[in-house]
């Protein structure tokens, strides 16, 4: 340890060790160098002890603008002018940036040398703590999560967060209750709590009633390792779980249909009817309908069902349609002409002209129905109906596409049954049905070693699908129509066919024009005149493939922009993070949000809004490299994955490029739209080691960009979450402030310049916070406006002022008018006039002693509404003032229509009227304008004798400001009200 000998003589060894281990930074100056530094000051600055002592001067660690002041303070200690002192300085950290320190300096003199011992305390965290808490508080209030903690006995000590609403709880409601008792009906939750109380840190999935929560338990121990509490965060993921279930169900639906389809291809002729019956039962039970019927169509009429199924508790009696003439149902007939699936989710949705259709379905107790046409060779052969009789059912486009596949599958099965029946009848009938089959059929011989010969026979559908003539196909083999990528697999299929005599597989065939068609092929081996022959029934599954692709795209892509959606992006991010972890690399995630996009939707409509999102997506795609991903998370939020961007400079270049790219106006539907964006960036692994945390932190940075004025980018820093928590705590405190009566009203007197008497006062609200002390409006009015709490706060101030003013009058004090400021949100309340009228009636205050002040910007926001409201107040006798005059955008044509009595000149003009000719001219003009409109003038912010003389010279009527009085409490205002006229 490098300790100066003077200090050794002054402090014993025990004290030296204490200084070395003390939690706060300690260093000794022997001007200008540092001769001793403890470990704490090294941690604070990022330098080692050797590096600090090696500095030529401690001043080199200070910013230029602080060095002179610091040197003067040091010199005063060296000169003996000061023995001790406390100062605030900023020190450059070794890794960049500044840290704020509070420095306690003590002069040490010994052996003829003067040294200064400095005790340094970090102020950085203190300055950011409140902002951090508010930011986290906003997250907890608005995000679907619960923040809680329990003591070692399982008693709740904290319960906050927006997620409590789903549990029918209020913040803080369960504090003091036993968590183990509260959740005794949920054994798994109790078990998890006990695990956490034993000191285990873990995450788990919990279910309470019908809500799912992803819960993270984190025990907190004291310095001795003893459990102090368990802190938990429970995130409501119910919507995500529901979405996953919907997707899983749709995938299972597709698997069921695929399975049944393969089953039908391999189904022997004599088991087709039983196979259809089993298929209807499986489908009906899976999708949850009450009835299914296959109804044939012939000669313009619907016949009796040839197959039907009903749930066990349902009757199928009403299902038969008999000989129903389709021509009598004109609306229905028109709909099914297109051969598309018809979905009626509710009988109420039928149009007025569908009278017969509505009556027909109501007579059969149908609440919702899906009608799937059965088409063979473009011929309408009937319908498959899926109906419910109790609750309506709504289907998605993807599910309706699956219904169409069901129709094709069952129609094909029935067609195959009819075809095989005909084949058994006669060769001629066989030929007719063979050629009219819904599927392509190929017959070819095969050798014992699995080599196929030329086609022996093909049907008309095969010729039509492949675009070859019959003669051309009969000169070809299966290899000639196979796609290049399938050729290597063909020998394996033929070998399997020889072994099993029946195989089903999917392959792509090439048409004559070179187009590729996907087929599902059922190949059956049989002997014909002693030769092994293969009958291959090939079904064109293009529609099914398109439906599958549609389902896949709906699951992983945004329908509007065709970009990857949240699910696909998270999957790619997870894979990229695994690669980065394996290769010890970084990656970057960017989240951007269009600024004020809501205004475009509200003013120009969602059609223009959607077109703008598509145009933005197209531009963003233009800046991506091949290995980068852009996704739309919903609304106007886009996310970028940059797996090879490992440095901050590269990420900021991307962000700046995006801002510049979107700066060019978008021309849509005759509108020129100017778009800006707020961008947040987070890096793996520094800002998060799993996708959820990394995305959350990037989003936090994005919101920080919005707070910084929008149209900029911000890198994530952990301090942002602390700021959010501070914002959240402030909002919760503000919500409880009214209940706890923490607000107080101060009064700033208004003086008549002619009589020098108090003629009124402006009421100003303050917040007497139990922890923060007296909080001024600038620190909480903005938050109150944003949350809507300004309305009840404003009403409380109004009632308080009227009540107090009435008490003063009844006590014999001079009657003066007390003015109350109206906020923008408060002024727009439609019941404001009634509210103020009721307050005046309840308090008994004469309306002439109540004043209302509104700013220019509020008045002009909706001038017609302002005029109507002010006229109502004027009729009541309330004194009306226009505040901050000259800072807004008043139109003189409206100003003369406002029933005002007073204009208040803003303090920004009064401040320099004795030194700035422009301000002097403005104030003089405003006074003249007001007097010409028969209005009195009040000047705000009067602080000097010179300002007062100027205003009096130019006939200003009244003033208020520090020259006469600061805002006063009720007691002090009452004193000055008693004494002032006699002065």
């Amino acid at each position: 340890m490098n300790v100066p000998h003077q200090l050794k003589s002054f402090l014993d060894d025990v004290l030296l060790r204490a200084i070395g281990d003390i939690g706060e930074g300690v260093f000794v100056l022997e001007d200008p160098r540092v001769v001793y530094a403890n470990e704490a000051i090294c941690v604070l600055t990022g330098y080692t002890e050797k590096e600090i002592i090696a500095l030529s001067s401690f001043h080199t660690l200070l910013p230029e603008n602080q060095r002179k002041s610091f040197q003067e303070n040091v010199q005063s200690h060296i000169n003996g002018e000061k023995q001790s002192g406390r100062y605030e300085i900023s020190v450059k950290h070794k890794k960049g940036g500044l840290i704020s320190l509070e420095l306690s300096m003590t002069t040490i003199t010994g052996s003829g040398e003067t040294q200064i011992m400095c005790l340094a305390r970090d102020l950085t965290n203190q300055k950011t703590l409140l902002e951090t808490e508010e930011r986290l508080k906003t997250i907890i209030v608005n995000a679907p999560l619960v923040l809680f903690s329990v003591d070692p006995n399982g008693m709740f000590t904290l319960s906050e967060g927006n997620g409590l609403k789903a549990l029918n709880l209020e913040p803080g409601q369960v504090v003091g209750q036993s968590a183990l008792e509260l959740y005794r009906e949920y054994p798994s939750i109790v078990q998890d709590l006990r695990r956490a109380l034993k000191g285990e840190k873990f995450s788990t999935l919990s279910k309470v009633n019908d809500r799912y929560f992803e819960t993270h338990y984190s025990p907190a121990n004291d310095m001795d390792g003893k459990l102090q509490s368990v802190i938990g965060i429970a995130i409501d993921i119910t919507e995500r779980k529901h979405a996953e279930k919907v997707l899983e169900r749709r995938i299972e639906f597709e698997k069921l249909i695929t399975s049944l389809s393969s089953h039908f291809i391999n189904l022997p002729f004599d088991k087709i009817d039983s196979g259809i019956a089993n298929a209807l039962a499986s489908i009906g039970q899976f999708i949850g309908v009450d009835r299914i019927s296959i109804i044939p169509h012939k000669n313009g009429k619907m016949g009796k069902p040839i197959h039907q199924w009903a749930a066990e508790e349902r009757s199928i009696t009403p299902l038969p349609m008999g000989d129903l003439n389709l021509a009598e149902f004109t609306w229905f007939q028109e709909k099914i002409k297109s051969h598309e699936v018809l979905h009626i989710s509710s009988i109420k949705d039928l149009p007025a002209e569908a009278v017969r259709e509505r009556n027909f379905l109501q007579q059969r107790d149908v609440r919702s129905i899906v009608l799937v046409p059965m088409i063979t060779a473009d011929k309408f052969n009937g319908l498959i109906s899926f109906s419910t009789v109790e609750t309506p059912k709504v289907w998605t486009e993807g599910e309706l596409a699956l219904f169409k596949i069901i129709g094709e599958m069952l129609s094909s099965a029935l067609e195959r049954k009819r075809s095989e029946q005909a084949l058994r009848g006669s060769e001629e009938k066989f030929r007719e049905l063979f050629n009219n089959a819904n599927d392509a059929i190929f017959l070819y011989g095969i050798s014992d070693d699995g080599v196929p010969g030329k086609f022996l026979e093909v049907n008309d559908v095969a010729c039509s699908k492949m675009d070859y003539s019959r003669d051309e196909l009969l000169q070809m083999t299966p290899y000639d129509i196979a796609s290049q990528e399938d050729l290597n697999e063909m020998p394996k299929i033929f070998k399997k066919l020889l072994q099993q005599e029946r195989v089903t597989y999917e392959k792509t065939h090439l048409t004559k024009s070179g187009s590729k068609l996907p087929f599902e092929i059922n190949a059956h081996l049989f002997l014909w005149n002693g030769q092994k022959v293969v009958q291959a029934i090939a079904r064109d599954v293009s529609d099914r493939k398109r439906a599958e692709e549609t389902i896949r795209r709906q699951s992983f892509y945004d329908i509007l922009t065709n970009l990857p959606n949240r699910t696909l992006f998270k999957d790619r991010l997870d894979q990229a993070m695994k690669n980065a972890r394996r290769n010890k690399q970084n990656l970057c995630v960017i989240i951007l949000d269009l600024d004020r996009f809501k205004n475009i939707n509200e003013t120009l409509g969602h059609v223009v809004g959607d077109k703008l999102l598509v145009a933005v997506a197209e531009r963003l795609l233009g800046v991506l490299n091949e290995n980068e991903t852009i996704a739309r998370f919903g609304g106007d939020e886009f996310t970028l994955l940059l797996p090879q961007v490992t440095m901050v400079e590269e990420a900021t270049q991307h962000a700046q490029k995006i801002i510049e790219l979107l700066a060019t106006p978008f021309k849509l539907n005759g509108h020129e739209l100017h778009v800006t964006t707020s961008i947040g960036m987070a890096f793996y692994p520094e800002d998060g080691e799993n996708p959820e945390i990394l995305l959350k932190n990037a989003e936090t940075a994005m919101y920080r960009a919005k707070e910084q004025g929008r149209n900029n980018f911000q890198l994530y820093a952990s301090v942002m979450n602390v700021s959010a928590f501070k914002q959240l705590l402030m909002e919760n405190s503000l919500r409880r402030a009214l209940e706890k009566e923490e607000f107080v009203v101060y009064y700033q007197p208004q003086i008549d310049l002619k009589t020098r008497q108090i003629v009124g006062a402006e009421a100003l609200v303050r917040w007497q916070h139990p922890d923060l002390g007296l909080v001024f409006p600038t620190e909480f009015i903005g938050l109150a406006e944003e949350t809507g709490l300004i309305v009840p706060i404003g009403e409380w101030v109004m009632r308080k002022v009227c009540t107090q003013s009435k008490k003063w009058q009844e006590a014999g004090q001079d009657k003066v008018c007390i003015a109350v400021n109206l906020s923008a949100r408060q002024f727009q309340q439609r019941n404001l006039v009634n509210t103020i009228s009721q307050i005046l009636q309840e308090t008994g205050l004469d309306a002439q002693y109540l004043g209302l002040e509104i700013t220019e910007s509020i008045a002009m926001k909706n001038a017609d509404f302002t005029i109507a409201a002010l006229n109502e107040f004027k009729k009541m006798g309330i004194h009306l003032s226009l505040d901050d005059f000259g800072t807004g955008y008043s139109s003189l044509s409206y100003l003369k229509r406002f029933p005002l009595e007073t204009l208040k000149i803003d303090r920004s003009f009064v401040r320099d009227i004795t030194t700035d000719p422009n301000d002097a001219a403005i104030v003089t003009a405003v006074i003249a304008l007001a007097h010409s409109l028969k209005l009195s003038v009040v000047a705000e912010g009067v602080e000097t004798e010179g300002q007062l003389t100027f205003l009096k010279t130019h006939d200003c009527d009244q003033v208020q400001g520090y020259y006469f009085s600061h805002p006063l409490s009720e007691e002090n205002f009452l004193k000055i009200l008693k004494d002032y006229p006699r002065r």
Side-chain angles (χ1 to χ4, degrees):
M1 179 182 295
N2 185 12
V3 183
H5 66 276
Q6 296 89 345
L7 185 61
K8 284 182 179 178
S9 65
F10 183 78
L11 301 172
D12 58 24
D13 291 338
V14 176
L15 186 56
L16 282 174
R17 286 195 294 272
I19 290 174
D21 296 336
I22 195 170
E24 296 181 336
V26 176
F27 62 95
V28 176
L29 280 176
E30 188 172 287
D31 189 51
R33 297 178 59 251
V34 176
V35 295
Y36 168 74
N38 75 341
E39 183 178 353
I41 193 65
C42 295
V43 172
L44 281 175
T45 61
Y47 294 93
T48 65
E49 181 184 6
K50 290 182 178 180
E51 289 173 330
I52 294 178
I53 293 176
L55 293 172
S56 61
S57 169
F58 180 75
H59 305 52
T60 59
L61 295 182
L62 274 62
E64 290 285 350
N65 60 351
Q66 293 187 20
R67 294 180 180 179
K68 180 179 179 181
S69 173
F70 181 78
Q71 180 57 37
E72 290 174 353
N73 290 327
V74 171
Q75 194 62 44
S76 66
H77 281 269
I78 294 174
N79 296 339
E81 298 171 7
K82 292 183 181 179
Q83 287 299 314
S84 62
R86 182 170 295 178
Y87 316 97
E88 283 192 18
I89 64 171
S90 297
V91 174
K92 300 176 184 176
H93 194 276
K94 183 178 180 180
K95 293 184 178 180
L98 296 175
I99 58 172
S100 297
L101 298 179
E102 182 184 72
L103 211 61
S104 297
M105 301 172 64
T106 303
T107 304
I108 303 172
T109 304
S111 301
E113 296 183 3
T114 299
Q115 297 170 327
I116 302 171
M117 184 167 70
C118 303
L119 181 66
R121 184 161 59 91
D122 187 1
L123 296 178
T124 307
N125 290 336
Q126 293 181 10
K127 292 184 177 180
T128 59
L129 179 59
L130 289 177
E131 296 177 2
T132 303
E133 290 174 349
E134 287 301 318
R135 184 66 177 169
L136 288 178
K137 183 175 177 183
T138 299
I139 293 173
I140 294 173
V141 167
N142 295 312
L145 56 79
V146 178
L147 177 65
F148 66 90
S149 68
V150 298
D151 64 14
N153 296 319
M155 304 295 288
F156 277 112
T157 58
L158 174 68
S159 175
E160 296 289 344
N162 194 42
L164 289 169
K165 294 179 182 178
L167 301 175
N168 296 319
L169 295 175
E170 295 293 329
Q173 181 179 341
V174 298
V175 170
Q177 298 183 32
S178 170
L180 300 174
E181 179 64 22
L182 185 63
Y183 290 103
R184 64 181 181 276
E185 296 179 2
Y186 301 92
S188 61
I189 295 180
V190 172
Q191 183 180 358
D192 290 338
L193 282 166
R194 293 191 186 280
R195 285 174 60 192
L197 289 169
K198 289 180 180 179
E200 184 176 350
K201 181 179 180 180
F202 62 95
S203 300
T204 186
L205 181 66
S206 307
K207 184 178 182 183
V208 180
N209 298 328
D210 59 344
R211 309 299 296 182
Y212 290 91
F213 289 87
E214 186 179 276
T215 308
H216 306 270
Y217 294 91
S218 181
N221 300 327
D222 60 15
M223 296 293 291
D224 298 327
K226 183 178 180 182
L227 180 74
Q228 291 294 299
S229 65
V230 171
I231 301 172
I233 298 179
I235 305 170
D236 190 340
I237 60 170
T238 305
E239 297 304 321
R240 190 183 81 192
K241 294 293 290 185
H242 288 171
E244 290 173 354
K245 286 183 178 179
V246 170
L247 179 59
E248 289 171 2
R249 183 169 178 80
R250 193 163 64 193
I251 294 173
E252 288 300 319
F253 192 10
E254 180 186 0
K255 288 181 179 177
L256 173 63
I257 295 171
T258 303
S259 175
L260 291 173
S261 179
S262 300
H263 174 70
F264 273 111
I265 291 176
N266 296 314
L267 200 62
F269 164 78
D270 57 350
K271 293 185 178 179
I272 288 179
D273 284 337
S274 62
I276 291 176
N278 292 333
L280 296 184
S282 298
I283 294 169
Q285 292 167 1
F286 181 85
I287 64 177
V289 294
D290 298 319
R291 299 167 177 162
I292 306 177
S293 293
I294 298 179
I295 308 157
H297 173 262
K298 189 175 182 181
N299 300 326
K301 292 185 178 182
M302 306 302 298
K304 295 180 180 180
I306 55 176
H307 289 282
Q308 47 190 336
W309 170 89
E312 291 183 3
E313 66 276 15
R314 304 292 176 215
S315 168
I316 63 174
T317 304
L319 282 173
M321 293 188 177
D323 289 333
L324 181 67
N325 189 350
L326 196 57
E328 296 176 0
F329 295 82
T330 53
W331 181 85
F332 180 77
Q333 186 180 40
E334 186 65 27
K335 290 294 180 183
I336 65 174
K337 277 183 180 179
S338 62
H339 296 171
E340 293 298 322
V341 175
L342 177 61
H343 175 213
I344 302 171
S345 60
S346 174
I347 305 304
K348 297 178 181 179
D349 295 340
L350 287 168
E353 64 268 22
V355 177
R356 292 181 66 87
E357 288 81 2
R358 182 182 292 104
N359 292 338
F360 176 81
L361 295 176
Q362 286 177 342
Q363 289 169 4
R364 286 155 178 79
D365 298 327
V366 173
R367 296 294 300 278
S368 63
I369 191 169
V370 176
L371 295 172
V372 182
M374 294 191 299
I375 310 297
T376 303
D378 289 330
K379 180 182 178 183
F380 175 57
N381 290 322
L383 292 169
I384 307 175
S385 71
F386 303 83
S387 59
T388 65
V389 298
E390 266 196 8
T391 56
K393 216 165 178 52
V394 179
W395 307 96
T396 66
E397 290 297 325
E399 290 168 330
L400 292 177
L402 294 177
F403 275 112
K404 188 172 183 179
I405 296 173
I406 293 173
E408 294 174 355
M409 175 183 72
L410 297 181
S411 179
S412 178
L414 291 170
E415 183 61 33
R416 185 159 70 87
K417 176 186 173 183
R418 286 193 293 269
S419 297
E420 294 195 23
Q421 282 177 330
L423 282 171
R424 293 187 179 193
S426 66
E427 180 65 25
E428 184 178 349
K429 196 66 175 177
F430 161 77
R431 174 60 58 187
E432 180 182 351
L433 293 175
F434 181 75
N435 285 322
N436 289 319
N438 197 43
D439 299 321
I441 302 176
F442 301 87
L443 294 177
Y444 55 89
I446 188 169
S447 65
D448 291 337
D449 55 0
V451 179
K454 293 181 179 180
F455 293 120
L456 302 173
E457 189 59 89
V458 293
N459 68 349
D460 292 345
V461 176
C463 297
S464 175
K465 291 286 185 182
M466 302 305 299
D467 201 24
Y468 286 105
S469 68
R470 182 172 177 273
D471 291 340
E472 286 175 322
L473 282 175
L474 293 181
Q475 298 300 314
M476 304 169 74
T477 72
Y479 281 117
D480 296 326
I481 61 173
S483 64
Q484 188 66 34
E485 57 266 25
D486 290 339
L487 288 176
N488 292 334
E489 293 294 321
M490 297 291 285
K492 299 178 184 178
I493 293 173
F494 293 134
K495 182 178 180 181
K496 186 177 180 180
L497 178 59
L498 289 172
Q499 294 171 347
Q500 301 179 2
E501 297 186 350
R502 186 185 296 272
V503 294
T504 300
Y505 57 95
E506 288 191 9
K507 289 299 174 188
T508 301
H509 285 174
L510 292 175
T511 67
K512 187 175 183 178
S513 62
S515 300
K516 294 182 178 181
L517 282 180
F519 283 96
E520 184 178 67
I521 302 170
N522 175 35
H524 172 59
L525 183 67
F526 63 94
L527 288 175
W528 184 28
N529 295 330
Q531 179 186 4
K532 291 179 179 178
V533 175
V534 178
Q535 179 193 42
I537 301 175
R539 175 180 301 167
D540 184 353
V541 291
S542 300
D543 288 342
R544 194 186 81 191
K545 291 292 184 182
R546 282 191 290 268
E548 290 171 350
E549 176 62 17
T550 298
I551 293 170
R552 189 187 73 82
R553 293 203 67 81
Q554 288 177 348
S555 301
F556 297 107
Y557 289 85
D558 174 53
I559 295 176
L560 177 64
T561 62
N562 209 30
L563 295 177
N565 63 10
R566 184 185 297 267
T567 302
L568 181 55
F569 184 86
K570 283 189 174 181
D571 180 70
R572 291 185 181 178
L573 176 57
D574 184 61
Q575 294 300 318
M577 292 176 75
K578 289 178 181 177
N579 291 336
R581 187 179 299 115
R582 185 165 50 250
N583 298 321
K584 296 182 180 180
Q585 294 176 336
N586 299 335
L587 62 81
C588 177
V589 166
I590 291 178
I591 291 183
L592 64 92
D593 186 90
L594 303 184
D595 297 329
R596 300 182 180 88
F597 178 74
K598 181 181 178 183
N599 293 343
I600 295 175
N601 271 343
E602 290 178 348
T603 56
L604 302 180
H606 288 278
V607 172
V608 174
D610 287 349
K611 288 185 177 180
L612 177 60
L613 291 174
V614 172
V616 168
E618 291 174 351
R619 285 195 190 178
L620 293 175
L621 282 170
V623 302
L624 290 188
N625 295 326
E626 184 177 350
N627 64 330
E628 297 171 346
T629 297
I630 179 173
R632 181 186 176 215
F633 266 28
D636 58 330
E637 186 174 281
F638 295 87
T639 308
L640 282 74
L641 168 60
L642 312 177
Q644 293 184 350
V645 172
T646 60
M647 299 179 63
V648 171
E649 291 78 6
E650 295 177 274
T652 57
Q653 288 173 6
H654 264 75
Q656 188 59 44
K657 187 184 297 184
I658 291 171
I659 291 174
E660 294 171 357
L661 187 71
L662 299 183
T664 303
F666 292 83
K667 295 182 179 180
L668 302 169
N669 286 26
H671 302 283
E672 185 173 275
L673 304 180
H674 295 266
V675 174
T676 62
T677 182
S678 299
I679 299 174
M681 295 177 282
F683 280 84
Y684 167 85
E686 291 84 353
D687 302 329
E689 294 188 359
N690 65 59
E692 289 74 18
I693 293 177
L694 193 63
L695 288 169
K696 177 183 75 67
N697 289 339
E699 188 174 39
T700 298
M702 183 266 289
Y703 283 118
R704 176 68 172 175
K706 285 189 177 293
E707 292 173 1
Q708 296 298 316
R710 299 182 171 87
N711 200 32
N712 70 95
F713 58 83
Q714 293 289 323
L715 292 166
Y716 172 75
S718 59
V719 68
M720 294 180 180
N721 279 337
V722 180
S723 175
F725 185 64
K726 175 188 173 186
Q727 181 79 3
L728 187 60
L729 292 178
M730 177 66 85
E731 184 175 337
N732 275 351
S733 298
L734 191 61
R735 291 184 183 278
R736 292 193 289 266
L738 274 174
E739 301 172 9
K740 296 182 178 181
E741 298 185 353
E742 294 175 357
F743 292 109
V744 293
V745 176
Y746 276 57
Y747 301 85
Q748 186 171 37
Q750 294 174 341
I751 310 300
D752 187 291
L753 286 181
K754 292 181 179 178
T755 65
R756 288 295 184 107
Q757 292 186 345
I758 296 176
V759 292
E762 181 179 357
L764 302 166
V765 66
R766 302 285 189 268
W767 181 7
Q768 190 65 51
H769 195 282
D771 300 320
L772 303 177
L774 195 63
V775 181
F776 286 86
T778 53
E779 299 182 50
F780 68 86
I781 290 297
L783 179 60
E785 282 274 7
E786 181 181 340
T787 60
L789 293 173
I790 192 66
V791 175
I793 292 174
E795 185 175 336
W796 179 88
V797 172
M798 188 77 65
R799 190 178 302 277
K800 180 70 174 177
V801 167
C802 291
T803 301
Q804 189 61 53
S805 183
K806 183 64 176 177
K807 285 182 179 179
W808 287 334
Q809 292 179 9
E810 290 175 345
Q813 298 305 315
D814 291 342
K815 297 179 178 180
V816 295
C817 181
I818 309 295
V820 178
N821 293 285
L822 292 179
S823 71
R825 195 157 186 170
Q826 190 179 6
F827 188 69
Q828 294 301 319
Q829 294 292 309
R830 296 297 174 180
N831 64 342
L832 180 62
V833 174
N834 292 335
T835 299
I836 295 177
S837 176
Q838 184 176 351
I839 291 174
L840 289 171
Q841 291 177 9
E842 292 175 358
T843 59
L845 180 68
D846 192 322
Q848 65 178 310
Y849 299 113
L850 174 65
L852 297 179
E853 294 187 3
I854 61 172
T855 64
E856 277 190 276
S857 56
I858 294 175
M860 294 305 299
K861 189 171 185 180
N862 186 342
D864 292 335
F865 173 78
T866 300
I867 292 170
L870 293 182
N871 280 328
E872 291 294 326
F873 293 134
K874 186 70 173 179
K875 291 177 185 177
M876 294 165 61
I878 295 174
H879 189 96
L880 302 175
S881 300
L882 190 64
D883 198 7
D884 298 342
F885 184 74
T887 62
Y889 43 87
S890 290
S891 166
L892 295 181
S893 64
Y894 276 106
L895 184 60
K896 68 180 182 179
R897 295 173 60 192
F898 292 156
L900 302 169
E901 295 171 272
T902 301
L903 287 184
K904 298 191 73 175
I905 302 176
D906 186 69
R907 67 183 66 247
S908 62
F909 299 119
V910 174
R911 182 175 56 246
D912 298 323
I913 54 175
T914 60
T915 58
D916 189 333
N918 292 329
D919 283 345
I922 291 172
V923 171
T924 303
V926 171
I927 294 173
L929 171 65
H931 288 166
S932 69
L933 293 174
K934 304 290 191 291
L935 303 176
S936 63
V937 182
V938 177
E940 296 181 302
V942 177
E943 299 181 357
T944 67
E945 181 70 33
Q947 294 169 347
L948 183 65
T949 301
F950 180 93
L951 293 168
K952 189 173 182 179
T953 302
H954 290 84
D955 296 326
C956 182
D957 301 297
Q958 300 169 20
V959 295
Q960 70 180 76
Y962 291 173
Y963 181 80
F964 290 99
S965 174
H966 286 66
L968 304 170
S969 64
E970 291 179 1
E971 296 79 6
N972 291 334
F973 180 71
L974 180 58
K975 289 179 182 179
I976 198 173
L977 195 61
K978 290 178 180 179
D979 300 341
Y980 201 86
R982 293 194 292 272
R983 290 181 179 178

